[in-house]
Amino acid sequence: MLHATGNPAYLDVTISPGVLRLLRPWRPAYEREGRLISVGRAAVIGGGIIGLAVARELLERRPNSEVVVFEKEDRVATHQTGRNSGVVHAGLYYTPGGLKARLCRRGVGLLREFAHAHGVAYQECGKVVVAKNEVELARLKNIHERAVANGVPGIRLIGPDELSELEPAAAGVAALHSPTTAIADFAGVAEALAGVISSHGGEVRLSTEVTGIVEGAASSSSTRGAVRVTARQRGAADGPATTEHFDQVITCAGTQSDRLARGSGDDAFPKIVPFYGDYFMLAKQKAAQVNGLIYPVPDPKYPFLGVHITRRYDGEVMLGPNAFLALGRERYGRFGLKTRDVWDVVRSPGFWKFASHNIPAAVRETRTAMSKRVFVEEAKQYMPGITLDEVTRGHRGIRAQAMNADGSLVDDFVITGSARVVHVRNAPSPAATSALAIAEHIVAEALGEERSG
């Protein structure tokens, strides 16, 4: 299993003897008896940006195949894809030469090209990572070295005077400037992908929840149709379950990824632990003072980045997110809980180990979760002029955080399964940025082909 600790800028990644084979660079992952996987019918579970990108890639590589996307909600991009910050990451933080860095850099180019071709909002607004003191400046130089090694265009260290020119409202002793970091309408990208799938003969089935995946259940003596998928219609009166057979199934189920995987016989871990992130919105007059993205230097003692300042593709400016344990995997309201989801967390020894090792982070995040004033004070470290009356509550997102049995967070891609059933168990940031490249990787591996690009 792949393990990672710390935040994205300071990952310590090790791979045990039970390495997830799909993570090996661009090589067929499974025993295939010297042949490529035959795909007449393929199912993709999940209508977020990764699932839709995978379905599109399948149709491009197997244009005569039948591809069905199952999405349990009544529209695509309902959860993580439609509730994130909208940032297109340039690849500053990731280990040079690693899978995360490679997929990010390729993904940026593919996403930019796709967005422009389909009229989806995409703006290179730029980003500054701001150091408040000399300790953070040393970390900032380390990030700069990684960014240069990853081939991030135009990346450079700047002083306070140039920081003031780029972001007059920001404050710091130095900054790292990434001029090509962008913002995009990821929900719009997902909708465009769904349109491409439909126009190429695929099908996106909304309000259809997959409840079971069984491998080795062919509809005949042939190996074709060797995976049985059971699904039901969701609605006011949930319909009866129906069963279909597919040659290939790829699950991209976000906050439900571990449950689908376990239900088809995969390992229990990593387990999804949901963390919510709140956003606050700046008043228009104050938002006009922000030109791009203003980020903190990651602190290795915290597992999450902390509050930052983000311009959106629609001109709004957000503060956030924080990161606090959610009382439901898909519960976005401020009150109430989903008993099953909470029970899944509290009965896991790994969660309590994680909590005991991250008490300073828990204190910080609890304060921002309980107090708007504290939340704004966090943002004021980088944009001092913000006042409470210039901030209103925005939306909430939920992060599908994968956690190992020992309580360590998994902060790299985790892909498991067999030749016929592939599970995307973890797809952390920059997954939206990298979605089209991730799809290339997953589909090439699943089909036993070489990747493109």
Side-chain angles (χ1 to χ4, degrees), residues 41-199:
R41 298 193 79 212
V44 178
I45 318 301
I49 192 170
I50 293 181
L52 294 165
V54 165
R56 170 180 174 263
E57 187 70 20
L58 281 166
L59 285 166
E60 289 198 352
R61 290 176 184 260
R62 295 287 192 273
N64 296 320
S65 63
E66 180 183 351
V67 176
V68 179
V69 178
F70 291 88
E71 168 53 49
K72 65 184 176 65
E73 307 297 347
D74 61 4
R75 57 188 172 86
V76 299
T78 299
H79 297 297
Q80 292 185 104
T81 299
R83 289 178 169 270
N84 63 31
S85 65
V87 175
V88 181
H89 295 279
L92 276 63
Y93 307 109
Y94 317 122
T95 302
L99 182 65
K100 208 170 188 181
R102 296 199 309 273
L103 292 181
C104 181
R105 287 305 311 150
R106 177 158 176 78
V108 169
L110 293 173
L111 179 64
R112 180 175 57 240
E113 181 181 340
F114 182 87
H116 290 163
H118 294 273
V120 178
Y122 184 103
Q123 305 165 20
E124 288 188 350
C125 62
K127 168 180 172 177
V128 288
V129 182
V130 179
K132 304 190 304 292
N133 51 51
E134 293 300 317
V135 172
E136 291 189 348
L137 179 56
R139 296 186 199 131
L140 195 67
K141 290 177 179 177
N142 177 269
I143 297 171
H144 176 248
E145 291 173 0
R146 290 188 176 209
V148 170
N150 286 333
V152 177
I155 192 76
R156 61 195 182 92
L157 289 165
I158 59 174
D161 292 340
E162 194 166 359
L163 172 61
S164 294
E165 292 176 10
L166 291 169
E167 292 288 359
V173 301
L176 186 63
H177 181 220
S178 172
T180 61
T181 295
I183 47 180
D185 176 8
F186 283 120
V189 172
E191 290 164 3
L193 285 167
V196 170
I197 292 164
S198 297
S199 67

Side-chain angles (χ1 to χ4, degrees), residues 275-280 307-308 318-324 332-334 368-370 375 393-398:
F275 286 86
Y276 75 72
D278 280 331
Y279 291 93
F280 283 81
V307 172
H308 41 284
M318 305 184 298
L319 310 181
N322 55 357
F324 199 76
Y332 301 103
R334 292 177 57 77
T368 62
M370 300 296 291
F375 195 108
R393 186 171 293 278
H395 72 280
R396 171 175 287 186
I398 293 179

Side-chain angles (χ1 to χ4, degrees), residues 200-223:
H200 284 69
E203 182 182 1
V204 179
R205 295 185 189 171
L206 301 177
S207 301
T208 307
E209 182 177 14
V210 171
T211 57
I213 301 169
V214 179
E215 191 174 2
S219 55
S220 69
S221 58
S222 168
T223 58

